[in-house]
Amino acid sequence: MSLSISNSNHQGTATMTSQKLYGKSILVIGLCMAFALISIHLILHGMGANSQGVLGRVTESRAALPQIVKEPNDVVMFFGSSMARAGFSPRKFDADLAQRGKQVKSFNYGFGGLNPYFQDFLSRRIADEFIEEDRKIKLTMIEFNPFQTTQTRWDRAAPVLDSFLTLLANDEELMEIAKNDLTRGVRLFNIKYLRGNISAEMITSFFGRGMFPPQSHQTFKDDDETIAQRRRLGRLLGQKFDEEYPDHKPVEWSYEWQGGGTIPQERSAETLAIFNDYYRVTQTDNAMRNDRLSRISSADIEQLHFEPLLVDHFINIVKNFQRVSDNVEVIMLPKNSKWIKTTPEAEKRLAAVITQIEQATGIQLKNHQNIPQITPQMYRDTTHLSRYRGDIVYTDYLIDQYQSLF
């Protein structure tokens, strides 16, 4: 009997030892996982993965919404892609209208790389903010960017899909996804609350681009003198910016500048002259040819094979703003037709998508692609209007189009 008791005590001691060992193992694994997550966040933060570029611009512009809805003047918003970001000068828009006795506060909500799927969720957050404060936007201009809505563009968004989704969607929207796909729903909540909106794919993409950057299209090369001048003038413009804006904080979306950039009235004559020289050596035919090739491979810009999902989400964007805007305009921005030439088949596909958008929203799209006010010399590349040239002229055009609304 004593032997039985001894064996029992021995087994009990072994069980307790195993449980302690198991508990310590779980604790060590948990600490290692926590350390790994913290390390990743610190590395990404230090390298600017979650504060620079489109991610930082989205975060900062969202943070400004509570202040925007309390603006005393009529609010104007231009919502779109990087073409909208480059092409609309909100402070010039406001200053010129003020000279005509019209007081407005406009904001540039243009984002590079943020396709209509992500913009749908962002526009919902904007609408939520205005509804909560029982406030209306006086005029919303929404850019329809055809090449942001292609299958190629959608495929290239895969590495950032879940990160941007958890950044922009609320818990109710994520729960709806979880109801249809539990595994993905759990993953999304994990990314949102345990990984700080940074998915494994985004980490891989971020580090992969640093170690193995994607091959840029440099099929056509400028001469060495032009390249040297480009670098010299670029450094000189950086120095002039630091001199003329010594107190400016390096942010992606500035409330002070209303989401836009600098305006020529603030720059010295010397700086503006340097810009003219800089554009001369950066907007070369070879640079344009290379940029065109890049746009074709990254966005299917000339064939325009549309992704139906992205078209549906663009329609959602318009409807989201219709809930909180007195006036909604859907616009296609000027197109650099000298370099970007869509095929006849692409034009047919584009016409069909425009019809779909107009029928779903009840808004007639305004096509500004080939307005005579904008010339090929006003672009910094094959798609974006240039600072102090194209953006100023196009902003003047928008003022003429919409000043009667105020």
Side-chain angles (χ1 to χ4, degrees):
M1 183 173 180
S2 60
L3 180 61
S4 175
I5 293 174
S6 176
N7 288 337
S8 177
N9 290 337
H10 179 72
Q11 291 173 355
T13 302
T15 300
M16 292 178 62
T17 302
S18 298
Q19 290 175 342
K20 289 181 179 179
L21 181 61
Y22 180 75
K24 289 181 179 179
S25 299
I26 294 297
L27 178 61
V28 170
I29 292 172
L31 290 174
C32 288
M33 290 178 64
F35 178 76
L37 285 172
I38 292 172
S39 298
I40 289 171
H41 280 298
L42 290 175
I43 292 172
L44 290 173
H45 180 73
M47 297 179 70
N50 53 3
S51 62
Q52 296 179 3
V54 65
L55 199 61
R57 185 169 171 83
V58 169
T59 302
E60 291 159 5
S61 64
R62 278 192 63 184
L65 287 172
Q67 190 172 356
I68 291 175
V69 298
K70 292 181 172 59
E71 285 289 344
N73 295 326
D74 286 336
V75 172
V76 176
M77 187 170 290
F78 203 127
F79 188 87
S81 71
S82 59
M83 287 175 58
R85 178 180 181 178
F88 176 61
S89 179
R91 290 190 291 151
K92 174 178 170 51
F93 189 87
D94 296 357
D96 288 3
L97 284 178
Q99 292 179 353
R100 306 178 192 191
K102 303 172 186 290
Q103 300 298 321
V104 304
K105 191 78 166 184
S106 59
F107 297 92
N108 188 320
Y109 268 68
F111 303 89
L114 209 62
N115 68 46
Y117 178 81
F118 305 122
Q119 289 176 319
D120 180 7
F121 287 95
L122 177 57
S123 64
R124 296 181 201 182
R125 304 291 79 82
I126 295 172
D128 290 344
E129 201 76 38
F130 277 84
I131 289 172
E132 183 176 345
E133 295 295 325
D134 193 24
R135 181 76 192 274
K136 287 277 191 177
I137 302 172
K138 184 64 175 179
L139 169 64
T140 301
M141 294 173 282
I142 304 173
E143 176 207 7
F144 174 62
N145 187 327
F147 72 82
Q148 281 278 45
T149 320
T150 61
Q151 295 170 1
T152 300
R153 208 64 167 175
W154 176 243
D155 292 340
R156 290 175 64 88
V160 298
L161 180 61
D162 288 348
S163 286
F164 280 175
L165 180 59
T166 57
L167 176 68
L168 296 169
N170 60 29
D171 286 351
E172 290 76 13
E173 291 161 344
L174 294 180
M175 190 61 69
E176 285 300 314
I177 294 174
K179 289 179 181 178
N180 297 318
D181 187 340
L182 180 59
T183 300
R184 185 166 187 238
V186 171
R187 167 184 163 79
L188 290 173
F189 277 101
N190 179 276
I191 293 171
K192 181 171 184 176
Y193 290 107
L194 296 182
R195 301 186 190 177
N197 302 122
I198 304 295
S199 67
E201 290 82 0
M202 176 172 272
I203 294 171
T204 302
S205 174
F206 185 81
F207 285 113
R209 283 177 174 270
M211 297 175 64
F212 308 102
Q215 183 178 3
S216 60
H217 289 275
Q218 295 299 323
T219 306
F220 306 95
K221 186 178 180 180
D222 287 318
D223 59 79
D224 292 341
E225 181 181 354
T226 299
I227 294 173
Q229 289 183 357
R230 185 183 303 159
R231 293 170 179 168
R232 179 182 64 82
L233 292 169
R235 289 193 296 268
L236 186 56
L237 285 175
Q239 295 171 8
K240 298 299 291 185
F241 182 89
D242 292 338
E243 293 173 5
E244 295 172 3
Y245 300 94
D247 300 323
H248 178 68
K249 297 180 181 179
V251 295
E252 294 294 330
W253 195 96
S254 167
Y255 186 85
E256 179 185 2
W257 288 355
Q258 298 160 228
T262 57
I263 52 180
Q265 295 92 318
E266 300 172 344
R267 311 308 299 266
S268 67
E270 180 184 3
T271 298
L272 296 177
I274 296 172
F275 263 103
N276 286 332
D277 291 337
Y278 181 70
Y279 287 141
R280 177 176 52 80
V281 295
T282 56
Q283 298 169 331
T284 64
D285 285 354
N286 286 334
M288 291 294 183
R289 292 189 183 102
N290 288 328
D291 189 67
R292 173 180 171 271
L293 292 177
S294 177
R295 294 292 171 185
I296 289 173
S297 65
S298 67
D300 188 25
I301 194 169
E302 293 189 337
Q303 294 289 336
L304 296 179
H305 293 92
F306 291 99
E307 169 55 53
L309 176 70
L310 293 182
V311 176
D312 290 341
H313 278 282
F314 181 81
I315 291 170
N316 289 346
I317 293 168
V318 178
K319 292 181 177 180
N320 292 335
F321 277 112
Q322 285 177 315
R323 297 164 56 204
V324 294
S325 302
D326 291 331
N327 302 279
V328 176
E329 294 287 325
V330 180
I331 297 168
M332 281 199 297
L333 266 69
K335 172 185 172 184
N336 193 344
S337 296
K338 176 182 178 180
W339 294 101
I340 302 300
K341 301 182 185 301
T342 49
T343 65
E345 293 78 11
E347 290 293 336
K348 291 179 182 178
R349 287 190 283 270
L350 176 58
V353 167
I354 290 174
T355 298
Q356 180 184 350
I357 293 170
E358 291 179 337
Q359 290 178 347
T361 64
I363 297 175
Q364 183 177 2
L365 184 144
K366 304 298 190 301
N367 188 346
H368 297 166
Q369 285 194 323
N370 295 300
I371 57 175
Q373 290 83 352
I374 301 295
T375 66
Q377 292 71 35
M378 295 179 182
Y379 292 86
R380 74 165 188 252
D381 53 33
T382 58
T383 55
H384 300 90
L385 293 169
S386 59
R387 182 71 52 82
Y388 309 149
R389 289 184 179 180
D391 66 336
I392 298 302
V393 175
Y394 186 57
T395 299
D396 286 340
Y397 179 81
L398 293 173
I399 291 171
D400 291 339
Q401 295 296 304
Y402 301 116
Q403 63 175 316
S404 62
L405 297 176
F406 308 105

